[in-house]
Amino acid sequence: MDISVTASLTCRKVLTVEAGSVYAWETAEGTSGHVLIDAEEAVARPCTPEGTPLGDMRLDRRIGNVENPDPDPALRRAFLITASVIFQERERQGRLPDAVTRTYW
């Protein structure tokens, strides 16, 4: 059986601002961006490298629901994967991670 890697994600904390922690993320396919995890470590939003939120899309880990999803399916999917990975590591480590790498088949 031939199993090949179809996607991978790397994200790392690059900045801490009053509003929370900014993570830079990149997929093996070359898609990249930034996500802001709020100071309460509960809400993720796409953002600029400086931590300024972009658009209205957000994921609240307490509800597990995306609010105001971006119409671009690729952007929406990348954001969901990135935010989910960061929140999963937060649960596992008991704090926000400094860096995370995931590979998906």
Side-chain angles (χ1 to χ4, degrees):
M1 180 163 88
D2 181 26
I3 299 176
S4 59
V5 175
T6 59
S8 75
L9 168 78
T10 301
C11 57
R12 62 185 165 73
K13 190 185 303 186
V14 293
L15 185 65
T16 301
V17 294
E18 188 175 327
S21 298
V22 177
Y23 285 83
W25 60 267
E26 182 175 11
T27 66
E29 297 76 28
T31 306
S32 63
H34 292 82
V35 64
L36 173 68
I37 306 295
D38 74 343
E40 294 178 11
E41 302 179 358
V43 176
R45 297 188 66 186
C47 69
T48 66
E50 297 79 27
T52 303
L54 296 171
D56 295 323
M57 184 168 54
R58 53 185 260 151
L59 174 66
D60 188 328
R61 73 172 179 84
R62 298 167 292 202
I63 314 170
N65 195 17
V66 175
E67 298 173 5
N68 307 309
D70 193 279
D72 179 345
L75 178 62
R76 186 173 58 242
R77 181 177 186 272
F79 168 73
L80 283 171
I81 290 170
T82 302
S84 296
V85 163
I86 293 168
F87 286 144
Q88 287 169 1
E89 280 301 302
R90 182 200 173 279
E91 290 299 313
R92 193 178 73 74
Q93 296 181 22
R95 64 177 179 77
L96 286 176
D98 292 327
V100 184
T101 299
R102 289 284 191 277
T103 303
Y104 301 91
W105 284 267

